[in-house]
Amino acid sequence: MRLKKLTLREIHLPLIAPFQTSFGTSNLRRILLLEAETDSATGWGECVAGEDPFYSYETVETAAHILRDHIWPILKKHEINSAAEISDALAPIRGHNMAKAGIESALWDAEAKSLNIPLWKYLGGTREEIPCGVSIGIQPNIETLLAKVEKELSAGYQRIKIKIQPGWDIKPVEALRERWPRIRLMVDANSAYTLKDAAHLQQLDRFYLIMIEQPLSWDDIHDHATLQKQLDTPICLDESIHSLADAQVALNINACRIINIKMGRVGGHTQVKRIHDLCMEKGIPVWCGGMLESGIGRAQNIALSTLPNFVLPGDVSASKRYWAEDIISPEVEVTPHGTIKVLQAPGIGYEPRRDRIEALTKKKEVLQ
Ligand code: OSB
Ligand code: MG
């Protein structure tokens, strides 16, 4: 496989409802799409960098810069024959995992298409139906939260995650547990607490949450180990895990009992597989996180969620929860029992809607 041409497109896609986390509110996604043309097929990837450097230091602008000025020259120089070689070829660039994952995933799609097989199979997936959960942003009040959760449970979702922050934590969880004592429930703090809050967070233990995601700093592993000793609730790390080495440290010092794997955060499918395999060997379950992706990124997430150790429901949900109209055909749909059935078409399996993508494009750059 020879890479011939890379098209970067920034599309603007309005969310159907604002999404609030402890680091801010998102109304519109600026999404960098990557179309990679090779001598045998064309593949699509999505860079999950945000509008602001809040979840991570990467933004749409830094990712476009790194892709154009650093990743593209390296890929042109190395004669890449397979998507599996890309991760190591890009290792000299420190960080910028979302930029790396965007191009790498586009090439995985292209390669699977050139072999005429579905990407999920090509990655080593073993499951044809994946369990799905939802991530619910911080709400203005408990009543609104209960109504939202009710709606998602009736749609069939298998697990509810709510975002928390100081001032919106114990009370909403208590209200949810009172109403639904037995649902699979978890919280995500997006780094909103410090070790000083340990006693406060211990109050969550009585609600039998399946996990608390990323309570402490985005770049910390050590303090999470200290906190985990004081909590019965398993800690799940999201922001803190950027590499296999991070995962190794976290597991060695018992900083978490679960890992959320996001392809963008760890730099692509090759890194996903390495972290996945380590966790599987150590008996640590993983699940696939979400970054408010359009259909392209969603399709990539579905493919990687079929790997055997993705045993917990991920934040991979239906297109219609986020978008009035997605950019792929068909849209991602969830069954009444809260699963997504993988498609059997080659590559990501969903067809990018070129006309719609073109109409949503605000910036376009072709590298060749
Ligand atoms: O922490 O998992 C997170 C969205 C943006 C940034 C960080 C996170 C999230 C989500 C959304 O929780 C999950 C989704 O895409 O459904
Ligand atoms: Mg998270």
Side-chain angles (χ1 to χ4, degrees), residues 19 21 23 55 135 161 163 188 190 213 238-239 260 262 289-293 298 315 317 321-322:
F19 189 82
T21 66
F23 48 72
Y55 170 84
S135 173
K161 150 171 151 183
K163 295 288 186 179
D188 184 358
N190 288 114
E213 186 179 343
D238 173 355
E239 281 91 325
N260 164 340
K262 288 181 182 167
M291 291 293 287
L292 312 178
E293 286 93 345
R298 223 160 267 278
D315 283 343
S317 57
R321 289 191 63 251
Y322 291 109

Side-chain angles (χ1 to χ4, degrees), residues 15-16 24-28 71 122 132 134 143 184 200 207 211 224 241 248 257 260 262 316 320 347 353:
L15 288 158
I16 56 171
T25 301
S26 193
N27 290 292
L28 172 109
I71 291 180
Y122 194 42
C132 306
V134 289
E143 204 187 334
R184 285 204 268 177
H200 179 73
F207 302 116
M211 70 195 91
H224 279 99
I241 305 296
Q248 267 157 342
R257 297 192 199 130
N260 164 340
K262 288 181 182 167
V316 187
K320 68 172 186 205
R353 292 173 55 186

Side-chain angles (χ1 to χ4, degrees), residues 1-4 6 36 38 67 70-72 74-76 78-93 95-111 122 263 266-271 274:
M1 189 179 69
R2 265 190 91 100
L3 179 57
K4 290 189 345 205
L6 180 66
T38 73
L67 279 157
H70 299 285
I71 291 180
W72 182 250
I74 291 178
L75 293 181
K76 287 301 272 188
H78 285 63
E79 289 187 6
I80 301 284
N81 292 309
S82 143
E85 295 171 15
I86 291 173
S87 182
D88 291 340
L90 296 182
I93 299 175
H96 298 283
N97 285 346
M98 293 174 177
K100 291 174 180 171
I103 172 75
E104 196 232 37
S105 60
L107 283 159
W108 276 103
D109 177 37
E111 192 163 305
Y122 194 42
M263 196 235 296
V266 303
H269 287 302
T270 298
Q271 296 303 324
R274 288 180 186 160

